[in-house]
Amino acid sequence: MSIKFSAIALGAMLALGTGAASAAAPADWSKVAAKKITVFYPGVSPIEWITKGSDHGGARLLKKGETCVGCHEEELADMGQKMASGSKIEPTPIAGKAAAIPVNVQAAHDGENLYLRFSWKEPKASGAAKMDADNQVKLAVMLEANKVERADQSGCWETCHGDARTMPGADDKKTKYVKGGDLASGKYYDLIQWRSGKGEAHDGYVADKRVMDGGKGLVSAEGKKDGDTWTVVFTRKLAGGGEGDIALATGKTYNFGFAVHDDHAKGRFHQVSMGYTLGIDAKADIVAAKQ
């Protein structure tokens, strides 16, 4: 059985005119290199915990310039299991919560648009109450242009703080944010998101707060479920052009991370990636080569 959901960012359509209709992802994704990235359940591990040596032994290596993925890539599933089970930094474990999900990530571009494709097998549902009844799955991607401190080491963790909503005892109205973040200085993350319920697409950013819309770079976000496999494809203008849109250039690399909200999850109860690099015709963890 195949279920398909799609969304077109209205602002992008207006900006592109007929160009939105002509954007086309690679006809044969099997010819595009894929990188398998494990997203894992992070428990209560805000950036304050990550950087505190008495809580996290890796804080010392982080100060020396080591990346989070450099230390932990081989143990992500095990880390997720410890936190999902409640044996480490998770005060309210969810029985049956998926500890980790392997995701195949592919990227390409055609000189005008960047195409990002994610595919993964759906884990067994936990059977817990639905936090987000409207959306079985959400997929969010963040890009950063090497201006946020430590973003090249910690990925999206620079937006994750202990005082943000769904963290224990936190203000339920406070969103993700970057310490000292603002659009004018370039200290922010570009954010795009797809939601399965109505096929919604969002194009925003995270600076001093998270803003879900206002960008003009996202042309479309399409997702479908074939059997037990989800596939989501984002089409995004390289040039961006809207509030919080990072202009992507060939020969450059950007910091990249993503999160899957599986099984009707919301807030911090997602599976997240470590920080990686995305290159536009440039050497990186994930390379978007011109097709």
Side-chain angles (χ1 to χ4, degrees), residues 58-134:
R60 178 176 56 85
L61 293 175
L62 195 66
K63 289 179 180 178
K64 291 184 176 181
E66 180 62 90
T67 64
C68 294
V69 71
C71 283
H72 297 298
E73 188 164 29
E74 301 303 319
E75 58 181 5
L76 295 176
D78 291 338
M79 288 167 53
Q81 182 57 43
K82 288 179 180 178
M83 290 178 271
S85 67
S87 66
K88 184 176 182 179
I89 57 171
E90 178 47 78
T92 56
I94 298 170
K97 178 74 177 180
I101 305 173
V103 181
N104 285 318
V105 182
Q106 296 166 281
H109 79 92
D110 59 10
E112 295 291 333
N113 297 296
L114 169 69
Y115 304 96
L116 293 171
R117 183 178 188 265
F118 302 81
S119 60
W120 68 94
K121 285 193 174 183
E122 180 180 84
K124 182 180 178 180
S126 67
K130 297 176 181 179
M131 297 179 181
D132 181 353
D134 295 331

Side-chain angles (χ1 to χ4, degrees), residues 30 51 92 131 191 208 237:
S30 68
T51 56
T92 56
M131 297 179 181
L191 167 67
D208 59 320
K237 289 186 290 181

Side-chain angles (χ1 to χ4, degrees), residues 11 16 20 25 35 56 72 100-101 114 128 130 133 168 219 226 236 240 249 265 291:
L16 283 172
K35 182 175 178 64
H56 176 224
H72 297 298
I101 305 173
L114 169 69
K130 297 176 181 179
V219 177
D226 284 325
R236 193 252 195 214
Q291 302 296 302

Side-chain angles (χ1 to χ4, degrees), residues 2 36 56 101 114 127 154 173 187 198 235 237 250 256:
S2 175
K36 183 171 287 186
H56 176 224
I101 305 173
L114 169 69
S154 60
K173 295 181 180 179
K187 292 182 65 174
K198 295 181 180 179
T235 300
K237 289 186 290 181
T250 58
F256 165 89

Side-chain angles (χ1 to χ4, degrees), residues 125-288:
S126 67
K130 297 176 181 179
M131 297 179 181
D132 181 353
D134 295 331
N135 297 289
Q136 182 182 353
V137 169
K138 297 188 289 285
L139 176 66
V141 179
M142 288 193 198
L143 297 170
E144 194 279 325
N146 300 293
K147 294 184 179 180
V148 174
E149 184 180 5
R150 286 194 308 255
D152 59 339
Q153 297 174 267
S154 60
C156 302
W157 250 268
E158 298 302 323
T159 71
C160 179
H161 298 273
D163 59 352
R165 71 184 189 91
T166 71
M167 287 291 185
D171 182 350
D172 197 46
K173 295 181 180 179
K174 190 163 188 175
T175 68
K176 288 180 177 291
Y177 64 92
V178 174
K179 186 177 180 180
D182 72 277
L183 293 180
S185 68
K187 292 182 65 174
Y188 66 92
Y189 288 76
D190 192 337
L191 167 67
I192 54 177
Q193 186 194 62
W194 174 80
R195 301 181 183 183
S196 66
K198 295 181 180 179
E200 294 176 45
H202 294 274
D203 184 353
Y205 61 88
V206 181
D208 59 320
K209 61 183 178 181
R210 184 182 63 189
V211 176
M212 291 303 298
D213 295 293
K216 296 180 180 179
L218 187 61
V219 177
S220 66
E222 298 185 348
K224 66 178 181 179
K225 182 183 177 185
D226 284 325
D228 63 354
T229 300
W230 286 95
T231 301
V232 178
V233 178
F234 292 99
T235 300
R236 193 252 195 214
K237 289 186 290 181
L238 290 172
E243 186 176 56
D245 287 336
I246 292 172
L248 305 176
T250 58
K252 301 292 185 180
T253 62
Y254 303 88
N255 296 310
F256 165 89
F258 65 99
V260 176
H261 279 86
D262 173 64
D263 194 22
H264 296 276
K266 72 175 183 180
R268 71 175 182 83
F269 297 94
H270 49 8
Q271 290 91 1
V272 298
S273 79
M274 288 290 189
Y276 295 87
T277 53
L278 172 70
I280 312 299
D281 289 325
K283 185 178 180 180
D285 296 317
I286 301 156
V287 177

Side-chain angles (χ1 to χ4, degrees), residues 12-29:
M13 288 182 67
L14 294 174
L16 283 172
T18 58
S22 64
D28 186 357
W29 278 104

